[in-house]
Every structure is written in structure tokens, then in C-alpha cells.
Amino acid sequence: MTEPALTPEMIGQALMARRYADAAVLLKAWVDRYPDDADGWFNLGYSLRQLLQAEPALHAYRRAIEVGITEPEQVWLNMAAIQAEVLQDVPGARASLQAALALEPGFVLAWQNLGQLEEDVGDAAAARAAYEAALRHAPGLGRAHARIAGIDVFEGRAAEGLARVEQAAAQAPTRDDLIELAFAGANALDALGRHDEAFAQARDANALQKGATLMLHRQGDVTAQIDAMIRLFPAEPLPDLPAEAAPEVAPIFLCGLFRSGSTLLESLLHRHTGVTMGGELAYTPWFMTQYGQHITPATVNDAATRFREDYASFARAVLGGAKVFTDKRMDNFLYLGLIKRAFPAARIVHVQRDPLDTFISMYFLPFADSLTYANDFDDMLHYYREYRRLMAHWQDCFGDDILSVRYEELVDHPEAVIAGLARRLGLASGTAPEADQIIRTASVWQVRQPIHARSRGRWRNYAGHIGEIAALLRAEFPEFSG
């Protein structure tokens, strides 16, 4: 019997077209036929990674190493990324990075990723050591200098951090290095109270970032996206789920604008109730990227069914079978219509913060292509208006199922706010287990400090630079006038 046609060209075409589901099917057949093809196993791992199938991807990568792939340190690096970013497996990610470095001690990207991992779990000394190791092999590496400067600021040595940044910037080999260093310098100047200089540095950093971005921000695209969500999910009663479709998980979705305090809220909720921290789970935006354009009023219920089943499966794999957990992927506010149709009993926690403080926080951080509106105050203002318009629609749709938490109240009265929120969520008091916990946020060191209100009203340090935006926001959203 003749075997069906299966060629490298077919696989290559699927990969080039980013048809990863097709590529994975073809590659599974390929490695069944040619089990010693290391590149086949690697490409299978890559395809499964794009499909968020973490454990199967790790298996494929391990097989690539076992059958003798060239440059196995690159495979270990890919495995570490899955373990850290998807599975939140700190020991596994650390072991994979160390395996890569044992093979290639000068592997700069592995040292960088190890530094980031140690930052994410709050070990400043280990993070500094990893970044310094990267610099021994690449002295001009802007990101490593910038991250060490951030640790300096955290440890109260902002002047040392600024000196490091200024010296590194004079020798930065690439624009990406300059961008990282410019943002780090702006934050060091901010910590030193040199606010006019800090704003000028941030403005330069954002101009560099905006010039380098691969994804231009278009305000009209944002408006069209919000309009489409409102049309697709009108205010109407949610359908009753049949008993056999009852969700196996009970996620608590935290949403709002990035830089609004969700990481602090999630960590406090975890500390006081023991609820599992899911962090920024990647599944919802991935699902919408893959399937969102195909959802119509006629297919909404089918999409919700698929989302419910696949989200639950993903969460079980990532969170070790936890039933109740937080998902703080903040841009999930875009998709609450689908989320509530998939999980009608889900509670939504809308985290809000004075938008001016949010804007300043965004402006001082290098988000690259992930937040295309963060480099320009006019774009931030437009995005904020559209976000509030959509949240008003969801409030009309879901009413009391959306619970609001203000960042300012959280930092002023953390115990009371968390206790009240826990009651509304039906969570009992509990003890959080001790373990390395990844906290992936742009202000990783700030969130690990004792609760303070120093970031509250931070925008006033820059009032002379954003006065027009401040006046517009205060007029349109008077609840933030205090």
C-alpha cells in the first residue's frame, strides 16, 4: 500500500503561512515516519508551542535533543520559555537555562532570560549576577545594563543606575539598546526627583520606540474593534448552560488598562484567600487572534463552547488542576462578551486607576509592540475613551457580575478592600502556599515592596508637560478629580 504524499515542501509551506495546526499534523506524521529527524522534532515543538500545547511541545523539543540536533542550547532556551511563560514552572525553566549554559557558557540570550526569570521570582542578587554574566560576553548589551539599573533603583542606588545607563548609552551598538537604556535612564531620573529631565528622557525613549515599532497604532482600528464587540455581544440575557456543559473551572477575570494595579491586587488576593494566581494567562487573546475574525452572531454560541472547553483544558495544564484561580490578562476587557457566554457565572473584577497615573506609568516603560498606544499621550487618551465606552457596555450587559476595585483605595486600605472583594467573590480566608511565584509585570520590583502610595498622584510631577491631557480627562471623567 502506497503511503500518502508527505514532503518537506508541504511542511515548509504550512510553517511559512503560520498554519501551525496543519504544520503540527504534518510534522507528527513526519516524525512517525522519520523518528531520528531532529529538525522535524524541533519544528513540531515550535508548531505546538504556537498552539499553546505546552507539554507536547516540551516532549518534541526533548526528542530533538535526544536524536542529536545541532545547537541543542537553542532548544533548551525554547523549552525554558515555555516553562516560564506558559507553565510558570520556575525550577524547570531554571534547569533548562542552566542546561543551555552548560553547553554554551557564552550564550548571552540564555543569561538574559535567566536574569529575567530571577527578576520574576524576586531574587535581585541572582538576577544581577545573570545580567553581569551576559555583559561579560556582550559588554554593550543595553538590556542587561538597563535591567541592572532597574535593580539599582529598587535598592535605593538610583544615582549608580543612572551613571551605568549614561556610560552604556555612549557605547550602545543598536537602536534597541538605546531604547532600553533611554527608558532605564528616565526611571532613574524619576527616582532621583529630576522630573523635567526624566520626562525629556522618556519622550526621547518613546520617540525611538515609536520609530522602531513594527505595528503602527491606528486610532480608527481601535474604534472599529470596540464597535464590532458591541455589535457582536449586545445587552441581552445570557443563555442557560445545560448541566453537562457546566465549566470545570471557575476563573476570576481581572481586567482593565495595563498599569492599573492588577498585579498588586492578584498577589494580595492570593495571600489572603489562597486562591491560585494564574497571572497573565495567554489563552484568551490567543483564541481571539486565531478565531475571533470568524465569530458572527450565528456562531457565537459555538465559539463560546469551544472557548470554554479549550480554556479549561489550558488552565488545568498550566495551573496543575486548580479550579478557582485568577486570570489577570488585563486586555481581556475586550472579550468579556465571549468570556461571559462561555462562563456565565464568572465574576469580573474591573481594576481602575487614575488614568493620568496609568498614562505616566506606561510612558516610562518599554512596551514595544505589545501596547502600540503607549508611546503617545494622544493615542493613550483615545484608547482610554474607547476602553471606558466598552466597559460601560459590558456593565449594561452583566451588571453586578462586574466588580470594581480602585487602585487608590487598595493602597490606602488594602486589608479592607481585599476582605470586601473576597466576600463579593465568595472566597473564604486561606493560607497561600510558599513557593517561587512568577510575577511578570513591567514594575516587577515595585510590586515586591511593602504597599505604599508613592505612585499615587505621580502624574503631578509631570503636570507641566501633560496639562492639556489632564484637563480633558478631569472634565470627561470627574470621578478622578480628587
Side-chain angles (χ1 to χ4, degrees):
M1 182 175 178
T2 303
E3 292 182 331
L6 179 63
T7 67
E9 289 74 20
M10 294 168 59
I11 296 169
Q13 288 170 6
L15 288 170
M16 288 294 292
R18 299 184 180 182
R19 293 186 285 107
Y20 297 116
D22 294 339
V25 171
L26 293 170
L27 283 160
K28 285 175 183 175
W30 182 268
V31 295
D32 283 344
R33 191 175 298 180
Y34 306 106
D36 293 330
D37 184 353
D39 289 339
W41 283 110
F42 179 85
N43 287 329
L44 176 57
Y46 176 79
S47 298
L48 292 169
R49 179 182 175 185
Q50 303 309 307
L51 296 170
L52 293 186
Q53 296 182 29
E55 291 293 352
L58 290 175
H59 170 75
Y61 281 139
R62 290 189 185 100
R63 289 291 295 132
I65 293 172
E66 289 167 2
V67 298
I69 196 168
T70 57
E71 298 185 342
E73 66 275 10
Q74 297 284 350
V75 186
W76 286 112
L77 182 71
N78 278 271
M79 292 172 61
I82 294 172
Q83 290 162 322
E85 297 170 12
V86 180
L87 296 177
Q88 301 184 35
D89 175 8
V90 174
R94 192 180 282 124
S96 292
L97 290 168
Q98 289 168 346
L101 291 165
L103 292 168
E104 179 49 68
F107 191 6
V108 171
L109 194 53
W111 283 117
Q112 276 195 167
N113 284 17
L114 182 59
Q116 185 65 67
L117 179 68
E118 300 299 357
E119 280 197 79
D120 289 343
V121 299
D123 190 335
R128 184 189 291 274
Y131 290 131
E132 287 175 342
L135 289 169
R136 285 196 290 274
H137 300 284
L141 191 63
R143 180 169 181 78
H145 282 297
R147 300 309 296 186
I148 292 174
I151 297 171
D152 286 337
V153 170
F154 165 68
E155 294 178 339
R157 298 193 302 273
E160 292 179 27
L162 180 61
R164 169 185 285 274
V165 164
E166 291 175 340
Q167 182 177 359
Q171 305 170 14
T174 71
R175 181 166 59 176
D176 287 344
D177 288 308
L178 282 174
I179 290 170
E180 293 275 0
L181 292 166
F183 278 108
N187 282 286
L189 287 164
D190 177 82
L192 291 168
R194 294 161 59 179
H195 297 120
D196 288 341
E197 295 171 80
F199 192 87
Q201 182 103 336
R203 184 173 54 227
D204 291 346
N206 279 284
L208 283 169
Q209 183 90 81
K210 199 169 185 178
T213 186
L214 299 176
M215 297 176 62
L216 296 177
H217 183 79
R218 295 181 176 87
Q219 294 184 1
D221 291 347
V222 176
T223 298
Q225 182 183 26
I226 301 305
D227 288 342
M229 285 295 160
I230 291 173
R231 286 195 303 270
L232 189 57
F233 299 101
E236 60 186 19
L238 293 172
D240 293 328
L241 289 182
E244 62 272 17
E248 299 178 18
V249 295
I252 300 165
F253 292 92
L254 314 184
C255 67
L257 280 193
F258 288 106
R259 314 303 306 141
S260 293
S262 63
T263 303
L264 175 62
L265 177 62
E266 183 186 46
S267 61
L268 289 174
L269 200 59
H270 168 70
R271 189 183 308 163
H272 287 269
T273 69
V275 67
T276 298
M277 293 172 62
E280 294 184 354
L281 294 178
Y283 190 78
T284 304
W286 178 87
F287 182 92
M288 291 302 294
T289 299
Q290 297 293 311
Y291 307 113
Q293 62 184 327
H294 305 298
I295 302 176
T296 67
T299 63
V300 160
N301 290 337
D302 290 340
T305 298
R306 178 173 188 166
F307 175 73
R308 177 172 59 253
E309 294 171 352
D310 291 354
Y311 181 97
S313 177
F314 174 81
R316 284 197 302 272
V318 170
L319 301 176
K323 179 179 175 61
V324 182
F325 54 87
T326 47
D327 178 345
K328 77 170 194 75
R329 178 74 191 212
M330 293 293 274
D331 54 353
N332 280 346
F333 82 84
L334 292 164
Y335 315 122
L336 294 185
L338 178 68
I339 286 170
K340 285 294 287 182
R341 278 162 177 75
F343 299 97
R347 308 304 291 273
I348 312 298
V349 181
H350 181 200
V351 189
Q352 296 186 76
R353 182 184 184 186
D354 185 325
L356 290 170
D357 282 335
T358 302
F359 288 7
I360 287 294
S361 182
M362 289 181 179
Y363 201 64
F364 274 74
L365 292 168
F367 286 105
D369 292 339
S370 58
L371 268 68
T372 58
Y373 56 89
N375 303 125
D376 184 281
F377 281 101
D378 185 58
D379 287 339
M380 284 190 272
L381 176 61
H382 177 266
Y383 193 90
Y384 185 79
R385 287 166 169 161
E386 293 300 308
Y387 140 74
R388 289 293 298 265
R389 179 164 71 95
L390 184 57
M391 285 306 303
H393 172 71
W394 296 141
Q395 198 75 52
D396 289 342
C397 292
F398 309 126
D400 292 342
D401 284 351
I402 298 180
L403 310 177
S404 180
V405 171
R406 283 283 300 272
Y407 170 82
E408 292 79 12
E409 295 174 359
L410 180 64
V411 296
D412 284 348
H413 309 289
E415 298 286 344
V417 170
I418 292 298
L421 180 60
R423 284 194 301 272
R424 289 186 287 168
L425 292 170
L427 300 173
S429 297
T431 302
E434 290 294 330
D436 278 342
Q437 178 66 52
I438 289 179
I439 299 180
R440 188 166 292 110
T441 176
S443 56
V444 63
W445 298 117
Q446 181 178 333
V447 79
R448 293 188 183 278
Q449 297 179 49
I451 297 173
H452 61 80
R454 290 193 297 275
S455 293
R456 181 177 182 174
R458 180 186 177 195
W459 72 271
R460 290 186 175 87
N461 296 325
Y462 302 98
H465 302 280
I466 61 170
E468 183 178 352
I469 294 289
L472 288 169
L473 280 166
R474 291 298 184 257
E476 294 181 45
F477 304 100
E479 66 268 32
F480 293 107
S481 296

